[in-house]
Amino acid sequence: MKKILKFIAGIPSIAAIVFIVYIFTFSIDGEMGVILIAFMLVAPLVSLIFALYARKRISVSFDCDSYVKKGSELKVRVTLRKTGFFPLAVVELRPEASDVFEKQDKIYRLSMCSDKKMEFELSLRALIGGNGSVYISDVYSCGFLGFMKFRVKTTLPEPFSVGVIPDIPEIKESSQFFRSIADAVMTSDEDEDNDTSMIFSANTAPGYELREYVQGDPLKRVNWKLSSKKNKLMVRLDEATASVQPLIVLDLYRKKGADPKYAVITEEKLIRSVFGLLSLLVKRGIACDFAYYGSSGEIVSESIDNPDIPEQTLLKVLSVRVIEGRRIDFGKLDSSVCACVAATTDAGPEFSGNLRKTDESDNMCILGISAESANASGLPLWYLDENNTFKLV
């Protein structure tokens, strides 16, 4: 419809040119008028040949970094190549990016008369943290007159995934949300110590061999109860510590047909909340498991037991495109945890039904987007406010 309207809008201009040529031919200079008429017939034909010839002889590629910090400029290098020696007229292309970037409607028109390769660079400003993409939406071969164009028949490059790195907030240790998780870890640790002491009581020997923490020891082996008493970190030399690790689950759920701009904003909020919590936990010596969708499309569970791991894991999360309608299947997660934080962009009825697949609802809570987040599960719901403080709804 737009093409038809554009064509109709151009009819008055064409009619005006024809009228001027008619007046010039029959009223001023007939010989020159004939030349003008011939030019008006030949030039569009030559322009058409140029445009059609180039449709199969133009290839486009582009390259950019895989990650960019929020608020920075992403540099995209676009390369055009032509085959054959025949000169091309004008190539028109439209680079675009997803909603994590600033919207830009710039159209590039390039002439490749003698050059077989041409490059240019464009900048895209990253506005929202999360996974985005850069792509070439349209490429046209245009005649040199500019009023006709045809879509090229060569294959366009696939969209390039780009992770926009958001600022991760510094969460205070005094946060009630953090203390509740830490208490669950220490309580579980104490129960495990009691069970082990009963097992080994017949030999009057402790259940675990312990020593003081040294650099490089996994934080998941820290005995929190004994460490609090001795005021220094004590680690176990055994492997039986899986049950004292909390589980953080990232459920970046996007409804089908959701507004893309609103979706990426809410997803950024959840990512900031989750990695702010992960960073605080590991800095305070609490190792945890973290579950999310990986690049292979499968649920990945990683142990976060080193202060450097949250930053590395954030890059992995940002490299994965959010798929509409997909959410974490809690039935596939390990339920042997002391506490579970289900971080989700939508805790509605469907999410509540998904939680029934796990038996750990007694020690589970939800991390949502805001105080207005839907919560059909009845579990405690926390959110990160504007002051980077976790609040309970």
Side-chain angles (χ1 to χ4, degrees), residues 20-220:
I20 292 173
V21 172
Y22 176 82
I23 295 297
F24 192 90
T25 302
F26 293 96
S27 301
I28 301 177
D29 190 337
E31 184 178 349
M32 183 58 68
V34 172
I35 296 174
L36 289 175
I37 292 175
F39 177 78
M40 289 185 63
L41 294 176
V42 173
L45 180 60
V46 174
S47 179
L48 176 63
I49 294 173
F50 270 67
L52 292 176
Y53 174 83
R55 295 179 70 188
K56 297 181 180 180
R57 300 185 178 276
I58 300 173
S59 63
V60 182
S61 62
F62 68 95
D63 183 38
C64 62
D65 293 333
S66 298
Y67 298 96
V68 61
K69 286 190 69 67
K70 177 181 177 180
S72 301
E73 298 283 339
L74 176 70
K75 302 297 183 182
V76 182
R77 297 167 293 279
V78 182
T79 303
L80 288 85
R81 292 181 174 86
K82 75 170 184 179
T83 58
F85 66 90
F86 196 80
L88 306 183
V90 177
V91 180
E92 177 183 299
L93 70 158
R94 184 195 298 271
E96 294 193 36
S98 59
D99 290 273
V100 297
F101 295 98
E102 184 178 22
K103 186 174 180 59
Q104 66 96 25
D105 297 320
K106 187 173 181 179
I107 298 176
Y108 293 81
R109 295 181 177 89
L110 306 168
S111 177
M112 299 182 68
C113 291
S114 57
D115 298 325
K116 285 195 172 183
K117 177 182 176 182
M118 184 171 290
E119 294 182 333
F120 68 93
E121 187 175 84
L122 62 102
S123 296
L124 298 171
R125 187 169 181 80
L127 299 181
I128 303 171
N131 177 263
S133 60
V134 179
Y135 55 97
I136 306 294
S137 62
D138 297 300
V139 180
Y140 293 97
S141 171
C142 306
F144 56 79
L145 293 181
F147 62 82
M148 61 178 70
K149 62 181 181 181
F150 303 94
R151 192 183 299 271
V152 300
K153 291 187 175 181
T154 52
T155 304
L156 297 183
E158 292 293 326
F160 191 86
S161 176
V162 179
V164 179
I165 305 172
D167 295 325
I168 302 303
E170 292 283 344
I171 310 298
K172 296 180 180 179
E173 188 176 353
S174 59
S175 167
Q176 183 181 352
F177 188 33
F178 166 76
R179 293 203 307 269
S180 65
I181 297 175
D183 290 343
V185 172
M186 294 188 66
T187 301
S188 178
D189 202 20
E190 182 177 353
D191 292 341
E192 188 174 340
D193 282 348
N194 292 338
D195 293 341
T196 307
S197 297
M198 292 176 63
I199 294 174
F200 287 89
S201 58
N203 299 323
T204 64
Y208 297 101
E209 185 178 352
L210 299 146
R211 62 167 169 77
E212 190 172 349
Y213 174 87
V214 295
Q215 186 69 28
D217 284 336
L219 292 178
K220 64 182 181 180

Side-chain angles (χ1 to χ4, degrees), residues 318-363:
L318 296 176
S319 68
V320 180
R321 182 173 65 90
V322 177
I323 298 177
E324 290 186 351
R326 183 179 71 176
R327 59 163 76 247
I328 290 286
D329 184 358
F330 282 83
K332 297 181 179 180
L333 300 177
D334 183 12
S335 60
S336 59
V337 294
C338 63
C340 178
V341 178
T344 181
T345 51
D346 181 6
E350 183 183 350
F351 177 79
S352 179
N354 194 18
L355 288 182
R356 296 191 182 98
K357 298 179 181 180
T358 179
D359 298 327
E360 298 299 321
S361 58
D362 292 340
N363 58 356

